[in-house]
């Protein structure tokens, strides 16, 4: 704390009045420190998570033109140690041990850092009484029961004295490079970069924002630039207190939060830097306007985008004219652009709205998802859009349309519920960069306050036939792509829009009611806007922890809970129509999906008004049947539900719409293979551990054979015989819930589905000691990323003690796994670990996506787990108890809104355990666990040398490689990189390896020639002579490392022959297929190449059973 010799500076109060939602129980204060850093303080007496976020008004638009990605690299490097906390993972370790996490992102003009942490170090503690100060015992001590103070202290140092540690520089630049590689095959990134590359080169919108090793290390190094020095200069030049907006949320009083912010953040230097602006240039100039570019995507998608340069609306927060325009252009109801082009079979969807670029610049975009016919007729679609704009232009702005928007915005803001703490602080710190009055920070752009017809007309003036650019995305139209974008390699071609087509567009933009398409008109009044918003709020001593079962017979099971926590005029209704036909075969699964999509397709125009009025529905399939969900304001909920059910019953399967929907699903199935590998891999783990279920390639094989007539004959079978399960939760009385079930029964009139025909949920059991590998080759030939999911089977997920041990083990390894595999070893950007739960079983998994081969990743994961034995055994009791408290706090974290609570209940109903009190039971068991319990768990289920460990590893194998060494690469650099990688590996297994010693000992070794025998001899010599290991220990290290040596060389572009022999090691110890550890034989891996045979040999778990008799949930009390 500040000593008495140096009085603490005082902060200027900007406001303590805030426009807030009606149910907001928080209090707010906005202050400005003497260094001009502005902070929003939030006191939430009920929160169990504290959080802070800092938004710095500098981003990738401020990168040096010759070093793209600088701002992003600086964001990464700030996490890697500060003068006060020099250990590189001190921040994340502190957060993890206090139920917390952190992240950051870099935008064009902002870099946003945020974290959340337990509000108290005691999971069951209550908030301090408002106004009560939590004492701090001396400057080195942190306040009792407040992890927030410690987190803020570490966080503040990012902006005061970051170290940019030389030892972390290469690793974090590799992390940036890995992040970039993750995005190389992502159409979102690829197409956005084409848009930027074809923009004004004098405006920083054109920048390559992520950066990679080439831009941030290799090329600067060639030019003699010290990149660490440049990053430090960037921080010094661009980071200033007056550009920073801080949000802090905690249980503590506003006075206490203010004292901490003043104490911890006053040292951030103020350089009085101006706001980052580029007023002299616009992203699109006359040179870029009236052009069209055609880009070839990775996935089979077809889109048309019209981009208009638009005005910056930051100062127009009261009227927000773009809200009016996007409401009309993006409307999906009768008379809209979408309704018109959808009726012609040209489109599947449309979106429109403004897109801020930076202060002083914005776009207004309209994007259409095209059908095959739509692509052929894209010019006609563009003309229809401009005809609709002429309709808006000739119709004076309608105040009743604005009033609908205004009224709905007011309702949404009034009943806004809480969001997760770090999401709230991150968003608000970004909002603080905008020029809103400080008392409107919460409501700023959420509310529209003033009807301004002139502003709407002015905004419409940007949507002209002479002020736009076109983008057409398709894999096969028009062909002839003659250029490649520099950073992602996207093929494209760009040209001026033909003059004759521009004339047609101009005529469309000047059309009148006489020559405009008659089906285009403005929307009608919205009948779905809620008007009954009353909530009967009662004092509740203790909210119910589960819904009541109010009807349970052979036809229907109804779960109901009147909201007793959030008091909003909303509800969530979930309905399962249980029928195992839905997913009985891949063909049935495909037909069920087609049916659901056709129903939703038929409801687009009708449901759109409900959607924009805060009332939404979904219809989907799963293994047990069909799921219908309606959620939002409960006033008109039954009206929408009735329409959905009638549409399901009376669906007219039109041949034209069937063809369009089928083609859309076909593209979706094909595109599945072009996702990121880490997004694909889970499907195979679920497939191999589940008794039943299908993967996308099986569905894709069936889809071409399904006809419209198949759907006509199939869907009545789905509805003819079902069991109905309902959860009604929210602002609904018992009678409302019973009526919902009556509505379902009266409309569908199904026969009873006997319980004997219900699906029994089971999982496959991996045998003790199993060691399976299932390799899959990625179908995207250009993706350079491999991926592994390393799954260790643990047992029955209803075993509370075993589940508690798994959860605690996952907590213990969370930060060390990330720190070792990503931060230290830089295996890849995507690294995570934790529990994986199946229908009836559970296990521990580690997932890594990397440009390193899966076999190498397998070895590194096992090496991490092997090394964790030492960590666990040596863990002090205080640290172990800290992890227990952290996990208990996570499990007991409060639900933030009605949707989260409904989702939890429905998950417990859907998995058929009905274990509504699971988190409380878990915490009771976790509290009783000891360190020996976890050591026993680890030795049995996790340790790589355990004879009882059961492992299933999925390997996603890339066809391409990012490790090909370009022509002209200097051989000494390859050798230097090898020595660096070897040194990092030896340090990762707790050996005090020295880079200089390795350089000396490898002086005459032919590394680039791939001489593995000489390499192994040199390593062994280093271990014995320099590190003083005995022969046995050295041999163990060499044996384990030799398995990975070829992969390391391959990753450096070195072709390595297999060694014929190695000094003191025999062939058996070098064989990757078997090894001996600690006197126990580890089984060689079994490769799964026939999944049917693999599954046929495994035993099946028992089916799911409720944790207690359902009659115990039946209602016995009067209604709430």
């Amino acid at each position: 704390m500040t000593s008495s010799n140096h009085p603490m500076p005082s902060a200027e109060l900007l406001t303590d009045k805030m426009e807030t939602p009606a149910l907001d129980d928080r209090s707010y204060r906005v202050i400005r420190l003497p260094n001009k850093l502005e902070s929003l303080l939030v006191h939430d007496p009920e929160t169990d998570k504290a959080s802070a976020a800092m938004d710095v008004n500098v981003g990738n638009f401020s990168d040096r033109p010759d070093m793209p990605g600088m701002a992003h690299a600086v964001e990464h490097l700030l996490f890697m140690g500060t003068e006060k906390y020099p250990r590189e993972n001190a921040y994340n370790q502190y957060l993890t041990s206090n139920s917390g996490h952190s992240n950051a992102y870099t935008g064009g003009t902002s870099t946003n850092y945020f974290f959340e942490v337990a509000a108290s170090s005691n999971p069951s503690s209550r908030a301090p009484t408002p106004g009560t100060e939590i004492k701090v015992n001396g400057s080195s001590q942190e306040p009792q029961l407040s992890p927030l103070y410690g987190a803020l202290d570490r966080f503040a140092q990012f902006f005061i004295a970051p170290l940019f540690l030389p030892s972390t520089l290469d690793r974090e630049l590799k992390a940036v490079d890995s992040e970039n590689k993750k995005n190389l095959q992502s159409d979102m990134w690829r197409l956005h970069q084409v848009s930027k590359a074809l923009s004004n080169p004098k405006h920083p919108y054109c920048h390559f924002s992520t950066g990679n090793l080439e831009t941030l290390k290799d090329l600067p190094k060639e030019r003699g630039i010290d990149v660490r020095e440049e990053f430090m200069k960037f921080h010094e030049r661009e980071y200033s207190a007056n550009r920073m907006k801080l949000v802090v949320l905690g249980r503590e009083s506003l006075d206490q939060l203010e004292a901490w912010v003043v104490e911890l953040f006053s040292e951030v230097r103020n350089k009085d830097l101006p706001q980052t602006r580029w007023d002299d240039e616009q992203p699109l100039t006359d040179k870029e306007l009236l052009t069209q570019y055609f880009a070839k995507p990775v996935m089979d998608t077809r889109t048309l985008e019209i981009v208009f340069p638009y005005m910056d609306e930051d100062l127009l927060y009261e009227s927000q004219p773009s809200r009016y325009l996007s409401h009309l252009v993006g409307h999906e109801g009768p008379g809209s652009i979408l309704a018109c082009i959808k009726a012609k079979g040209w489109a599947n969807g449309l979106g429109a709205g403004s897109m801020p670029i930076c202060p002083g610049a914005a776009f207004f975009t309209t994007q259409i998802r095209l059908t095959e016919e739509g692509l052929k007729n894209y010019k006609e679609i563009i003309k229809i859009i401009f005809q609709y704009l002429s309709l808006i232009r000739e119709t004076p702005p309608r105040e009743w349309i604005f009033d609908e928007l205004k009224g709905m915005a007011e309702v949404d803001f009034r009943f806004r519920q809480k969001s997760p703490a770090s999401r709230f602080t991150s968003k608000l710190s970004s909002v603080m960069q905008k020029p809103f009055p400080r008392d409107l920070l919460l409501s700023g752009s959420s509310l529209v306050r003033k009807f301004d017809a002139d502003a709407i007309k002015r905004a419409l003036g940007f949507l002209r036939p002479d002020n736009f650019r076109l983008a057409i995305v398709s894999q096969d139209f028009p062909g002839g792509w003659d250029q490649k974008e520099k950073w992602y390699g996207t093929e494209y071609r760009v040209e001026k829009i033909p003059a004759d087509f521009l004339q047609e567009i101009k005529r469309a933009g000047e059309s009148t009611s006489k020559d405009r398409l008659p089906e285009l008109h403005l929307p009608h009044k919205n009948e779905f806007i809620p008007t009954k918003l009353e909530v009967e709020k009662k004092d509740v001593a203790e909210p119910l922890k589960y819904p009541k079962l109010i009807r349970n017979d052979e036809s229907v099971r109804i779960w109901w809970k009147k909201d007793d926590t959030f008091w909003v005029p909303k509800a969530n209704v979930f309905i399962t129509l249980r029928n195992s036909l839905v997913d009985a075969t891949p063909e049935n699964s495909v037909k069920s999906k087609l049916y659901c999509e056709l129903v939703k397709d038929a409801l687009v125009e009708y449901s759109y008004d409900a959607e924009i009025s805060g009332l939404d529905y979904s219809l989907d399939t799963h293994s047990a049947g069909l799921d219908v969900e309606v959620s939002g304001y409960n006033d008109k909920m039954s009206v929408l539900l009735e329409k959905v059910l009638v549409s399901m019953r009376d669906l007219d399967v039109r041949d034209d719409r069937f063809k369009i929907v089928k083609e859309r699903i076909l593209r979706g199935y094909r595109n599945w293979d072009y996702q990121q590998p880490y997004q694909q891999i889970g499907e195979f783990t679920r497939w191999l551990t589940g008794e039943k279920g299908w993967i996308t390639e099986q569905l894709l094989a069936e889809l071409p054979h399904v006809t419209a007539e198949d759907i006509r004959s199939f869907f009545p079978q789905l509805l003819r015989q079902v069991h109905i399960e309902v959860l009604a939760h929210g602002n609904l009385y018992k009678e409302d819930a019973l009526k919902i079930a009556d509505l379902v029964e009266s409309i569908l009139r199904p026969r009873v589905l006997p319980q004997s025909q219900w699906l029994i949920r089971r999982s496959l059991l991996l045998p003790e000691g199993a060691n399976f590998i299932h390799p899959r080759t990625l179908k995207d030939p250009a993706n350079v990323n491999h991926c592994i999911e390393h799954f260790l089977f643990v047992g029955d997920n209803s075993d509370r003690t075993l589940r508690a041990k798994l959860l605690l083990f996952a907590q213990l390894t969370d930060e060390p796994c990330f720190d070792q595999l990503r931060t230290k070893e830089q295996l890849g950007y995507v690294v995570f670990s934790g529990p994986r739960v199946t229908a009836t079983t559970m296990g521990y998994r580690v997932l890594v996506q990397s440009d390193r081969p899966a076999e190498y990743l397998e070895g590194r994961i096992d090496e991490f787990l092997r090394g964790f034995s030492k960590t666990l055994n040596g863990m002090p009791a205080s640290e172990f108890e800290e992890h227990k408290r952290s996990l208990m706090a996570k499990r007991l974290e409060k639900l933030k809104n009605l949707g989260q609570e409904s989702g939890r209940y429905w998950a417990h109903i859907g998995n058929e355990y009905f274990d509504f009190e699971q988190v409380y039971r878990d915490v009771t068991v976790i509290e009783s666990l000891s360190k020996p319990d976890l050591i026993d768990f680890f030795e049995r289920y996790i340790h790589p040398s355990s004879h009882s460990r059961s492992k299933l590893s999925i390997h996603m194998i890339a066809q391409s490689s990012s490790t090909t060494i370009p022509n002209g690469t200097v051989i000494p650099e390859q050798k230097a990189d090898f020595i660096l990688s070897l040194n990092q590996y030896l340090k990762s297994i707790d050996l005090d390896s020295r880079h200089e010693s390795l350089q000396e000992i490898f002086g005459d070794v032919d590394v680039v020639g791939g001489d593995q025998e000489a390499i192994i001899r040199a390593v062994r010599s280093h271990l014995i002579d320099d590190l003083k290991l005995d022969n046995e220990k050295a041999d163990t290290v060499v044996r384990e490392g030799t398995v990975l040596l070829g992969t390391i060389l391959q990753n450096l572009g070195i072709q390595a022959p297999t060694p014929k022999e190695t000094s003191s090691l025999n062939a058996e110890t070098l064989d990757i297929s078997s090894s001996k550890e600690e006197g126990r034989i580890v089984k060689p891996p079994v490769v799964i190449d026939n999944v049917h045979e693999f599954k046929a040999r495994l035993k099946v778990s028992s089916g799911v059973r409720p944790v207690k008799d359902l009659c115990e949930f039946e209602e016995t009390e009067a209604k709430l």
Side-chain angles (χ1 to χ4, degrees), residues 617-655:
Y617 84 98
S618 67
L619 172 63
D620 215 337
T621 69
H622 67 99
S623 59
L626 298 173
D627 272 354
V628 183
E629 177 187 346
V630 183
S631 58
Y633 296 103
N634 57 277
D635 180 18
K636 313 283 174 59
M637 181 171 277
S638 60
V639 178
L640 179 60
L641 177 59
E642 180 177 0
K643 180 68 173 180
V644 171
L645 293 168
V646 169
S647 298
M648 290 172 67
R649 182 194 67 194
D650 298 341
L651 177 66
D652 176 18
V653 182
R654 291 168 41 196
D655 288 341

Side-chain angles (χ1 to χ4, degrees), residues 967-980:
N967 292 332
T969 298
V970 184
I971 285 176
E973 288 187 10
Q974 288 178 267
K975 187 170 183 176
D977 285 344
F978 170 78
I979 293 170
L980 184 65

Side-chain angles (χ1 to χ4, degrees), residues 659-677:
K659 180 183 176 183
I660 288 169
V661 170
K662 178 180 175 180
E663 192 273 337
R664 188 174 73 215
I665 294 173
L666 181 67
R667 284 188 290 122
Y669 285 159
R670 287 175 177 161
N671 288 339
W672 188 91
D673 289 314
Y674 290 83
Q675 296 179 102
Q676 295 285 349

Side-chain angles (χ1 to χ4, degrees), residues 103 163 341 623 719 726 1076:
N103 212 333
L163 287 175
I341 57 180
S623 59
L719 306 178
V726 176
K1076 293 181 180 179

Side-chain angles (χ1 to χ4, degrees), residues 34-46:
N35 60 3
K36 297 188 181 178
L37 186 149
E38 201 170 276
S39 178
L40 168 63
L41 311 171
V42 187
H43 164 59
D44 185 342
E46 299 299 321

